[in-house]
Amino acid sequence: QKEVEQNSGPLSVPEGAIASLNCTYSDRGSQSFFWYRQYSGKSPELIMFIYSNGDKEDGRFTAQLNKASQYVSLLIRDSQPSDSATYLCAVKSGEANQAGTALIFGKGTTLSVSS
Amino acid sequence: EADIYQTPRYLVIGTGKKITLECSQTMGHDKMYWYQQDPGMELHLIHYSYGVNSTEKGDLSSESTVSRIRTEHFPLTLESARPSHTSQYLCASSENRGQGEDNYFGYTFGSGTRLTVV
């Protein structure tokens, strides 16, 4: 059973701080990694994706991937109250067949940014 | 504007009723998915499709069925609703824009249908 693990939180940070969200995955053949943000009562929206080891930056967001450790993280710099949401880590397997395009999601980490 | 639409947004229905949750996308994506999400829990894949007349069951055992007669339309049907079906149902679509991983951009989700079976 392929799994994606996240600390459910809540993770509480003050406004302006760096929030660090972590995710581990069990399928060593996984190829692509995604971070979705989900506000309460809303559907998930894609905020970052990463394929290669290292860091990928987009505005205040940085995704970090370490395939050897099967670990992916999301850093949010200058956290704002509007960043308060649940952050879902999702992984696409390395299977070459059609089933490999389906994403496997973690339970999500709830982030609370206080002003 | 290209998007993915789910109807109804909310549904309260009695036990034993047959219901169909609608999902349509205007992006021309070949791949479409249905996920089920309970509060505080991960999304569970219940059905997926890679094109017209192609449907598969996901990891979560489900009493629902799907069809894919047109690229843009992927409805989910419960023949006999039960209280255990109470959940949020999310539809998503995706595409590969070329060869290799750099051309896979993940999912676009619909707004979801919150189903309550009483």
Side-chain angles (χ1 to χ4, degrees):
Chain A
Q1 181 77 1
K2 299 169 186 173
E3 294 181 343
V4 176
E5 299 287 343
Q6 295 181 255
N7 187 329
S8 61
L11 173 65
S12 297
V13 300
E15 184 175 359
I18 295 175
S20 177
L21 305 159
N22 305 314
C23 172
T24 59
Y25 58 94
S26 63
D27 181 11
R28 186 168 288 279
S30 297
Q31 299 278 338
S32 310
F33 308 86
F34 303 83
W35 284 98
Y36 284 84
R37 178 175 61 200
Q38 186 174 27
Y39 291 112
S40 180
K42 301 294 186 181
S43 59
E45 56 178 326
L46 180 67
I47 54 173
M48 288 287 287
F49 57 89
I50 186 167
Y51 307 125
S52 304
N53 276 328
D55 295 359
K56 179 181 179 181
E57 186 175 318
D58 184 2
R60 295 187 296 114
F61 299 99
T62 298
Q64 299 175 316
L65 175 61
N66 185 325
K67 288 187 177 181
S69 301
Q70 295 175 236
Y71 176 91
V72 59
S73 65
L74 178 70
L75 300 178
I76 306 175
R77 292 181 299 281
D78 188 24
S79 295
Q80 301 297 310
S82 59
D83 294 328
S84 298
T86 297
Y87 289 81
L88 306 175
C89 175
V91 174
K92 175 181 172 297
S93 78
E95 295 175 14
N97 57 21
Q98 295 279 30
T101 67
L103 297 182
I104 301 167
F105 286 84
K107 291 183 180 181
T109 297
T110 300
L111 173 66
S112 177
V113 181
S114 55
S115 57
Chain B
E1 179 181 324
D3 214 337
I4 180 165
Y5 306 95
Q6 288 187 246
T7 57
R9 185 73 179 89
Y10 301 94
L11 180 62
V12 180
I13 199 163
T15 298
K17 298 292 186 182
K18 177 180 178 178
I19 57 172
T20 296
L21 308 183
E22 300 289 347
C23 178
S24 295
Q25 49 98 2
T26 60
M27 296 171 282
H29 288 175
D30 287 335
K31 301 173 181 64
M32 297 188 74
Y33 312 84
W34 276 102
Y35 282 83
Q36 185 175 339
Q37 185 183 32
D38 294 320
M41 301 297 289
E42 62 263 57
L43 281 72
H44 288 288
L45 181 67
I46 48 177
H47 293 284
Y48 55 98
S49 168
Y50 296 116
V52 172
N53 295 323
S54 159
T55 62
E56 299 286 343
K57 288 197 172 189
D59 296 331
L60 181 66
S61 176
S62 172
E63 295 158 337
S64 58
T65 59
V66 292
S67 63
R68 190 88 183 277
I69 298 172
R70 292 179 286 136
T71 298
E72 62 271 22
H73 194 214
F74 189 42
L76 179 135
T77 298
L78 282 167
E79 292 293 333
S80 180
R82 294 213 291 261
S84 61
H85 295 138
T86 295
S87 188
Q88 165 132 302
Y89 292 83
L90 291 164
C91 180
S93 69
S94 71
E95 64 167 346
N96 276 80
R97 299 179 192 174
Q99 297 298 319
E101 288 301 315
D102 284 352
N103 291 297
Y104 181 77
F105 296 95
Y107 292 170
T108 301
F109 280 95
S111 299
T113 294
R114 187 165 297 278
L115 173 65
T116 302
V117 183
V118 298

